[in-house]
């Protein structure tokens, strides 16, 4: 399902006809029904370009499928062993990483208010270093949530960029 990035409403397939020529496009349902008052910036997507973006994403997935498959199998093995590896649970690492991300965001907000505060900068460096250490530690078996999150973000950007050009 194709969903509008601005308002979260699904897109709908529409046929535009002008000067005897028909063009298939996808539009935000809210934009169609309520106009620009409700959904201001939703793009109109040509169906041909949308198809090309989907095919490109599927081809890219096909190219890395072996790597993803190996990673998923390794995650399944970790799940079967309850995520225990080197005495540290994968779930605990993920929870700590999430907590550090929240702490990092708070520190960045504080630093933006007081750029000269060396203590805040030192704390941010320590949090960032700990986050990197966790990603390295959990990435050591070739795959983890860091790899998966990165792959998912990359695929989203690829699909978005190819549908916007």
């Amino acid at each position: 399902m194709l969903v509008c990035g601005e308002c979260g409403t699904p897109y709908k397939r529409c046929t535009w006809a002008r000067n005897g020529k028909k063009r298939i496009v996808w539009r935000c349902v809210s934009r169609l029904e309520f106009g620009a008052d409700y959904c201001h910036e939703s793009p109109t997507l040509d169906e041909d370009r949308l198809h090309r973006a989907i095919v490109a994403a599927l081809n890219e997935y096909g190219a890395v499928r072996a790597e993803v498959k190996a990673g998923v199998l390794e995650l399944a093995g970790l799940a079967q062993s309850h995520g225990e590896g080197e005495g540290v649970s994968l779930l605990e690492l993920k929870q700590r990483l999430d907590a550090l991300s929240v702490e990092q965001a708070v520190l960045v907000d504080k630093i933006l208010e007081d750029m000269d505060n060396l203590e805040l900068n030192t704390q941010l460096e320590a949090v960032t270093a700990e986050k990197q250490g966790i990603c390295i530690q959990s990435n050591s078996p070739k795959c983890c949530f860091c790899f998966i999150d990165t792959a998912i973000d990359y695929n989203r950007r690829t699909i978005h960029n190819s549908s916007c050009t």
Side-chain angles (χ1 to χ4, degrees):
M1 179 186 297
L2 190 60
V3 178
C4 178
E6 181 179 349
C7 68
T9 305
Y11 265 59
K12 175 181 178 181
R13 188 175 192 253
C14 304
T15 303
W16 280 358
R18 184 174 284 176
N19 298 330
K21 293 184 180 182
K22 290 185 178 181
R23 186 172 134 201
I24 307 296
V25 296
W26 287 76
R27 303 276 324 264
C28 170
V29 172
S30 292
R31 178 79 180 241
L32 286 171
E33 292 180 4
F34 306 113
D37 293 336
Y38 182 74
C39 188
H40 310 286
E41 302 292 328
S42 67
T44 299
L45 302 173
D46 284 319
E47 188 170 66
D48 291 337
R49 291 172 67 188
L50 185 60
H51 284 181
R52 285 194 303 268
I54 292 168
V55 168
L58 289 173
N59 287 337
E60 185 176 327
Y61 170 74
V64 297
R65 182 176 54 204
E67 293 174 31
V68 171
K69 182 180 176 183
V72 169
L73 289 174
E74 191 157 350
L75 276 178
L78 282 172
Q80 285 177 339
S81 68
H82 304 293
E84 299 293 329
E86 301 172 11
V88 180
S89 165
L90 192 59
L91 178 60
E92 290 172 358
L93 290 175
K94 176 67 172 158
Q95 290 170 341
R96 180 65 184 144
L97 189 64
D98 291 344
L100 286 170
S101 294
V102 170
E103 186 178 346
Q104 189 177 33
V106 169
L107 283 170
V108 167
D109 289 342
K110 288 180 180 179
I111 288 173
L112 289 174
E113 292 174 5
D114 184 9
M115 297 287 259
D116 297 327
N117 190 326
L118 295 176
E119 183 180 334
L120 289 175
N121 284 308
T122 304
Q123 289 175 359
L124 180 62
E125 287 175 9
V127 168
T128 303
E130 186 177 349
K131 257 180 91 170
Q132 288 173 343
I134 288 173
C135 279
I136 290 168
Q137 181 180 0
S138 58
N139 249 341
S140 61
K142 294 183 186 174
C143 95
C144 76
F145 35 80
C146 297
F147 169 76
I148 292 170
D149 290 345
T150 302
I152 290 170
D153 288 344
Y154 176 77
N155 285 334
R156 283 184 186 144
R157 282 193 308 274
T158 302
I159 291 169
H160 175 73
N161 290 341
S162 59
S163 67
C164 292
T165 56

